[in-house]
Amino acid sequence: MASGHSGADFMTDIDLRPAAERDLDAITEIYADAVRNGTSSYELEPPTRAEMGSRFQALAEGQFPYIVAHRDNMLLGYAYAGAFRPRPAYRFTVENSVYVAPAAKGRGVGRALMADLIQRCQLLGFRQMVAVIGDGSPDSASVILHEKLGFRHAGRLEGSGYKHGRWLDTVFMQLEMNGGRSTDPDPDSLPERRFRGTA
């Protein structure tokens, strides 16, 4: 995308905020591009706007953070955290997702979204964030992004996906937050209050 702004100027003009219902058309388009043309998602057909709305609502009801980056009234990307697994012993662990519009890639949008998402998850009291990265080769932009943010490699499932005519490895990366496993759960954290029915 042609621009008269330097990369630094571009980033200073970006605003991050919680996602809203009005963002779902643009979110649906960004995700549809990732499904059709990329390997970060293992979905093969883009979900409808209605389905994306249902997913958004489920995360909102769980009080999980869901944020967007925008500039000049254009939505550049989005990120959210959700339950890593549904069983209650996993309640302190979230899985992150981040998607950037094609025209905004390589501008630092993904990193800004992820840094903000991590901070929000820390404030809510989560202890681990897991990234499940499709096509997780060492030179993958997503792998490199997560490494820069302090994630460590936690495992690889070889040949676990098949998309665009080739087998894909799935990489797991993990970030410890709020002391991780070094202390007992905080009774005032969101996951613990939800578990006890007081959130």
Side-chain angles (χ1 to χ4, degrees), residues 4-59:
H5 294 269
S6 70
D9 289 340
F10 184 88
M11 287 307 300
T12 59
D13 291 340
I14 289 178
D15 290 319
L16 303 175
R17 60 166 172 77
E21 185 80 19
R22 67 181 182 274
D23 301 314
L24 284 173
D25 286 344
I27 286 172
T28 301
E29 290 180 11
I30 290 171
Y31 187 61
D33 177 79
V35 171
R36 290 192 189 101
N37 301 309
T39 51
S40 57
S41 170
Y42 282 6
E43 291 197 76
L44 300 179
E45 296 294 334
T48 64
R49 164 65 168 74
E51 172 60 23
M52 293 296 285
S54 296
R55 297 178 187 185
F56 173 79
Q57 187 61 36
L59 290 166

Side-chain angles (χ1 to χ4, degrees), residues 16 24 28 62 65 73 76 80 87 89-90 92 114 134 147 167 181:
L16 303 175
L24 284 173
T28 301
N73 296 317
L76 305 174
Y80 61 85
R87 293 179 179 173
Y90 284 114
F92 296 100
M114 278 298 302
E147 288 174 340
W167 292 104
R181 58 184 176 177

Side-chain angles (χ1 to χ4, degrees), residues 123-155:
L123 291 172
L124 291 171
F126 292 103
R127 296 298 183 93
Q128 305 287 341
M129 181 178 284
V130 175
V132 182
I133 301 173
D135 194 16
S137 59
D139 60 350
S140 157
S142 186
V143 169
I144 293 169
L145 169 63
H146 284 83
E147 288 174 340
K148 288 179 177 178
L149 290 167
F151 284 73
R152 63 178 178 83
H153 287 263

Side-chain angles (χ1 to χ4, degrees), residues 2 9 31 96 115 119 138 144 162 180 182 186:
D9 289 340
Y31 187 61
N96 74 274
Q119 183 178 41
I144 293 169
Y162 187 79
S182 65
D186 178 358

Side-chain angles (χ1 to χ4, degrees), residues 69-131:
H70 65 97
R71 177 177 181 267
D72 297 335
N73 296 317
M74 178 181 296
L75 199 139
L76 305 174
Y78 68 97
Y80 61 85
F84 174 62
R85 294 288 185 272
R87 293 179 179 173
Y90 284 114
R91 65 189 179 276
F92 296 100
T93 301
V94 291
E95 180 179 336
N96 74 274
S97 295
V98 56
Y99 293 94
V100 176
K105 289 182 178 178
R107 303 287 195 117
V109 175
R111 182 165 186 163
L113 282 164
M114 278 298 302
D116 189 84
L117 184 70
I118 290 167
Q119 183 178 41
R120 290 172 187 267
C121 287
Q122 288 174 327
L123 291 172
L124 291 171
F126 292 103
R127 296 298 183 93
Q128 305 287 341
M129 181 178 284
V130 175

